């Protein structure tokens, strides 16, 4: 049973938008920082965006600033990634991550102990 489940991926053309969602299973008793990471073929998994438990602190990787927006709805145990102006270089498997440790926000993979299975986003030129 996956404790984090992503949805909303797919194939779009350059310039289009997509909304990714991540829902946390109730077996995760405490959720603090959450984040999105991605991995392109032949590359290491990299940070995309992160958000604090209250949503007031967000961080973004430089290449997505101004195009992607991270948000969360704690009442539904969900996190979102709104992706606008998508580019072919955004093509990757996107992963949702979360931590139950008291952490405001982090771009470091090692700070997250919960991970989703990943979802494909493909942007055609």
């Amino acid at each position: 049973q996956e404790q984090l489940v992503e949805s909303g991926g797919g194939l779009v053309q350059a310039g289009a938008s997509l909304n990714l969602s991540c829902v946390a299973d109730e077996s995760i008793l405490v959720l603090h920082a959450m984040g999105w990471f991605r991995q392109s073929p032949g590359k290491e998994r990299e940070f995309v965006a992160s958000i604090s438990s209250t949503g007031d602190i967000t961080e973004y990787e430089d290449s997505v600033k101004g195009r992607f927006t991270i948000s969360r709805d704690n009442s539904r145990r969900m996190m979102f990634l709104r992706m606008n102006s998508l580019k072919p270089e955004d093509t990757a498997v996107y992963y949702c991550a979360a931590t139950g440790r008291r952490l405001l926000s982090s771009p470091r993979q090692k700070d997250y102990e919960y991970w989703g299975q990943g979802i494909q986003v493909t942007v055609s030129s």
Side-chain angles (χ1 to χ4, degrees):
Q1 178 183 354
E2 295 290 345
Q3 292 183 292
L4 296 175
V5 179
E6 303 96 340
S7 62
L11 170 64
V12 297
Q13 290 189 327
S17 297
L18 272 179
N19 288 308
L20 299 184
S21 299
C22 170
V23 60
D25 187 82
E26 292 186 356
S27 64
I28 302 176
L29 300 180
V30 177
L31 283 170
H32 285 287
M34 298 183 75
W36 290 98
F37 294 79
R38 66 186 180 186
Q39 187 170 21
S40 305
K43 295 185 177 180
E44 298 289 321
R45 189 163 59 185
E46 65 177 3
F47 169 73
V48 176
S50 62
I51 188 167
S52 61
S53 59
T54 57
D56 57 341
I57 298 173
T58 57
E59 298 181 70
Y60 295 93
E61 193 269 329
D62 285 346
S63 70
V64 307
K65 285 180 181 177
R67 299 189 299 123
F68 291 11
T69 303
I70 189 171
S71 60
R72 64 192 290 171
D73 181 346
N74 292 332
S75 66
R76 293 191 290 163
R77 305 174 63 84
M78 294 187 73
M79 177 179 64
F80 309 97
L81 187 67
R82 172 69 176 180
M83 304 187 292
N84 293 329
S85 303
L86 282 162
K87 304 175 181 180
E89 50 264 44
D90 294 318
T91 295
V93 175
Y94 283 72
Y95 297 89
C96 168
T99 179
R101 292 189 287 265
R102 288 190 177 276
L103 192 67
L104 286 179
S105 175
S106 175
R108 300 182 304 182
Q109 297 184 51
K110 66 178 183 178
D111 285 334
Y112 298 93
E113 68 269 32
Y114 303 109
W115 290 85
Q117 80 284 359
I119 193 162
Q120 180 70 45
V121 171
T122 303
V123 185
S124 64
S125 58

